[in-house]
Amino acid sequence: MLIVDDSKVDRTLLANLFAGSYKVLQASGGRESLDVLARGKVDIVVLDIGMEGMDGFAVLEAMKADPDLADIPVIVETCETAHEETALTCGADDFIAKPFNPVVARKRVDNIVVKHVLERERLQAALRETELLAARRAQELLHVAEHDRLTGLYNRTAFCRKTAELLAAHPDEEFAVIQFDIERFKIINELYGSAKGDEVLLAIARTLGEWLHVAGVYGRMEGDRFALCLPHDVALEGDYVRALEEAVAATEVDRQVVLYFGVYEIEDRTMPVDIMCDRANLALHSVKGDYNTHFALYDSDMHQTFLANHELVGEGERALREGRFEPFVQPVFDLATGALVSGEALVRWRDPQKGLVPPGQFLPFFENSGFIIRLDGHIREAVCQLLVQMSEQRSSCPPVSVNVSRLEFYDPRFCQNLIDLVSRYNVPPSLLRLEITESAYADNLPQLLEAVAQLQSHGFTVLMDDFGAGYSSLSMLRDVPVDMIKLDMRFLGDGGAGAQEREKGILKAIVPMAKSLGLPIIAEGVETADQAAFLKSIGCDYVQGFLYARPMPRDEYVALVAAAAAATPGERG
Amino acid sequence: MDEARGKLAALGIEMDATMKRFCGDTDLLVEMLREFAAEDLLERLPAAIAESDGAAIERAAHAVKGTSANLGLHGAECALRQGGPGGACGRARRHRGVGRGGAGVLPGRSRGHRRSLI
């Protein structure tokens, strides 16, 4: 308690009155009272109003203006009833009249102090609660900011931060960063619904928690891609790999779910963790689609390859702008009659320095980069021009097929763009055949089926390319409404005599079945007379390959078509 | 102690209420009476009157009134209350005499200057 009174008598009297229940400070004037308050807060001020110099009203005003002092309760002492009302209006909490009635004075001071102490405690409790709530909320926000909502695992940012912390905390231990994902995860979502897809992701998250929660850091980077940072020996031991595969198998998805792993063994700890992740990811992509190996270690060649690929795509962009891509056409012949029935357009890159760049050197990289869509668009345009040229020279011309990348089916305008293209050139849609690789059907079934149906209804002919190359099941022939099938003979022949015989056996079964469904078959990659004889024996309709004709520049093809037409007038495929 | 109380009562101090205020501490009351007599409080009023400073007169009169009331000097307090600031002059002069006289009759102090007006 602070007693402020310029009368020592009154001050002493009050101090004596409250000495038993308060620690009493005294000030003999207004200024001195503010000095005392500046040194430390008190629970209550008993303030004389009529003081010389700075009077009680001025002190009250100064206290109310100072945020540190404004909440200290003030009881004024006065012998003038006129001052009581003014003091209360100025912010005093109560007054005690002179001469003091000790009972009344004590009671009023006690009441005010108790009220203020209770109020302060209530406020402090509320503040503590608010702080607790804020802390909890901040924790929740941090959790949301750092964790993947579905699996509760760390997200990319948090994974990188936690990994950096782990590496810093164990400077003498060897670590590796691993990235893994699920082969064709999208199909699981498409075929079984996203709930099943989520179930697979949750099974992975659970297994990571069970196996690795003490070993290292793990998180979900995006979609079906996860990242781990583990001690080197744990990373290469691979127990967790088996555990993950078992967990995924236990989700009862009715097809084999394959996980691919890429591992980067950390050498340079100063490298940002996201670059370590990129390197693990490069290793992962090096085994993507490999049926035998699901696990790859990063090596520096991968980085070089990556840079080279990146550069290649840049060169491709430039070549496309400069018109250096052109279609070569490989003719297709009727196996029974030898007549030229159609052609397949194949992209060639004519580089001013390198000459013709083999397609194997650029197509796979363009496929992965998405640049293939623009390249295919360019080739289709050139093929339409070729068809227009041939139609103008002859009364009819054989159709030419073009390749359609599976990536195109993600573009909702894809069908309309094709329809617009043929109508712009006034080319019958049946002349522009569309080859869709078999693996695309496995990738994106619903959109693709819809697109194929729409294209067929507009008169396009759809071929299933590379049939038998990998993913197909025979049931796909039943489900997918294609018009023709292409078998690639290059898929025969690498597996030794026994394997060749088995594959020939499969072809023997496929061809009659396709024919029974009314699907004509083109065998491409036919290079030997033996192959031709075999194909003839099983009733294959059409052939394409080096044995008959290589892919050729468009002018040569036009000339060949003209010559063939002259030799066998009226023949069409 | 009773003797002292008797002397204080003889000065016109309202002993019951005042002793309650001083928590029964007669020594403190005596000390404070001496303090009151020595304070320049009693000089302020005549000085303010001499300078015709109305606000100062009022403040000094209130101060004297409040403190004298706390000391149980009922007469002085009444005199000031009745007079108010405007009429405090003569009474204040007398009051001054009270203070000094009061000091003179306090127990244990010289009684040679007793000029009590009460």
Side-chain angles (χ1 to χ4, degrees), chain A residues 120-134:
Chain A
R120 193 171 59 208
E121 281 175 356
R122 197 182 61 75
L123 278 173
Q124 280 170 346
L127 189 65
R128 271 196 303 278
E129 200 170 319
T130 310
E131 282 169 351
L132 275 176
L133 273 174

Side-chain angles (χ1 to χ4, degrees), chain A residues 175-201:
Chain A
F175 284 93
V177 167
I178 299 141
Q179 298 251 330
F180 71 90
D181 72 4
I182 302 166
E183 175 74 349
R184 293 175 192 279
F185 177 67
K186 212 150 45 65
I187 298 180
I188 297 176
N189 277 332
E190 296 283 0
L191 295 182
Y192 303 94
S194 60
K196 196 70 177 176
D198 288 351
E199 195 186 314
V200 172
L201 296 174

Side-chain angles (χ1 to χ4, degrees), chain A residues 308-319 321 349 366 371:
Chain A
N309 291 349
H310 193 68
E311 202 176 333
L312 193 64
V313 173
E315 282 179 26
E317 297 269 1
R318 199 165 53 248
R321 278 198 304 276
W349 180 352
F366 291 172
F371 173 64

Side-chain angles (χ1 to χ4, degrees), chain A residues 8 10 52 80 99-100, chain B residues 21 39 59 62 65 67 70:
Chain A
K8 186 178 176 186
D10 294 348
E52 280 298 301
E80 281 302 312
F100 305 136
Chain B
R21 206 171 294 135
E39 267 183 358
R59 277 200 306 276
H62 283 154
K65 189 170 86 175
T67 305
N70 272 336

